[in-house]
Amino acid sequence: MQAGVCVAREEGTPQGAPLSPWLANLLLDDLDQLLESRGHAFCRYADDCNIYARSWAAGQRVMDSVTRFLEEKLQLRVNRDKSAVAPVGKRKFLGHRRLLNAKLGISPHSVQRAQHKIRQITRRNRGVSLAQVIVELNLFLRGWLIYYRHAAFRFELQGLDGWIRRKRRCSRLKPCKRGLSVARFLPRLGVSWSPASRLASSGKGWWRLSHTRSGPQI
């Protein structure tokens, strides 16, 4: 599918197809043998590969030689936009990164992608009930946490948890639209009348109001 239109495929395999990693392993087996013969520490999954060197200069030499090997001998194209020599903590691999204490962490880009998916699930114009939104949100978060279960990312997870709760509070305040509706809505959630009236009379936007102590709980 390209721009919503079905077109005939002339080369390559569909993104996510099981044939892709099989072909990658078949073609890149020569690369694995080359790196092993040189004594390099590396980790490869399908066509995604990280090679570890002791210095930036050594990494640059390995980068140049591996690129020549792939393009000249294996006749493969190297994505130079995604390939780089950098400190190990700044490179990601399958959504993970190595921390300074040698533990496995999560890349910032993975958290950003999770936030993008959560925004899609919690959009108010989807026309689905709150119960359905919570079900879909729980399904996504459960699978996401299982995938990254071996990573040490408590700080990022706490920040994401607070962001999700604040976003849900904001989505529950927005339908009220007016201060009087907010003042009537909050007491039904257990908020006392005094803080509810103060929040309803505030001129702040919904996102800022969702960060107050008297906001709705989910």
Side-chain angles (χ1 to χ4, degrees):
M1 297 287 290
Q2 295 182 3
V5 180
C6 292
V7 296
R9 180 178 298 276
E10 298 179 358
E11 63 177 354
T13 58
Q15 182 72 22
L19 183 61
S20 297
W22 186 86
L23 288 175
N25 288 333
L26 183 65
L27 290 171
L28 297 178
D29 183 65
D30 291 339
L31 174 64
D32 295 344
Q33 295 182 23
L34 174 68
L35 295 176
E36 289 177 353
S37 65
R38 294 182 178 180
H40 291 308
F42 68 97
C43 185
R44 184 178 67 81
Y45 182 86
D47 61 342
D48 196 353
C49 184
N50 277 8
I51 306 172
Y52 304 99
R54 294 184 179 276
S55 65
W56 189 92
Q60 191 62 54
R61 289 195 300 270
V62 173
M63 177 78 170
D64 294 339
S65 63
V66 168
T67 300
R68 287 196 304 270
F69 177 80
L70 290 172
E71 293 183 340
E72 296 176 4
K73 183 173 182 179
L74 300 185
Q75 299 296 308
L76 298 174
R77 291 195 302 267
V78 176
N79 190 332
R80 300 181 184 274
D81 293 333
K82 294 183 178 180
S83 303
V85 178
V88 64
K90 295 185 178 181
R91 300 297 295 172
K92 65 182 181 68
F93 185 70
L94 303 178
H96 296 78
R97 67 187 180 100
R98 301 293 296 185
L99 304 178
L100 294 178
N101 57 6
K103 290 185 177 180
L104 191 66
I106 184 173
S107 70
H109 181 67
S110 300
V111 178
Q112 294 172 3
R113 290 183 60 184
Q115 289 179 324
H116 177 70
K117 179 63 177 180
I118 293 169
R119 288 191 185 97
Q120 292 180 326
I121 296 175
T122 57
R123 285 201 320 267
R124 291 194 306 115
N125 58 358
R126 290 186 59 209
V128 298
S129 64
L130 175 63
Q132 179 63 26
V133 170
I134 294 176
V135 169
E136 295 181 14
L137 190 60
N138 287 337
L139 286 174
F140 167 73
L141 291 175
R142 188 178 297 115
W144 190 76
L145 290 173
I146 291 175
Y147 180 81
Y148 291 105
R149 64 188 181 277
H150 297 300
F153 65 116
R154 177 177 296 181
F155 177 79
E156 293 87 347
L157 191 59
Q158 290 175 342
L160 183 63
D161 177 70
W163 180 80
I164 293 173
R165 293 180 181 275
R166 184 177 178 184
K167 188 165 184 61
R168 290 301 307 132
R169 289 194 296 269
C170 182
S171 65
R172 299 196 69 181
L173 284 173
K174 278 185 178 180
C176 296
K177 296 184 179 180
R178 297 180 301 175
L180 182 60
S181 301
V182 173
R184 293 174 177 174
F185 171 68
L186 291 179
R188 295 200 298 268
L189 300 178
V191 180
S192 59
W193 173 254
S194 177
S197 61
R198 287 199 303 269
L199 188 143
S201 61
S202 174
K204 298 177 181 178
W206 299 117
W207 181 248
R208 291 189 64 185
L209 290 177
S210 65
H211 198 47
T212 60
R213 291 183 178 272
S214 55
Q217 302 299 314
I218 60 173

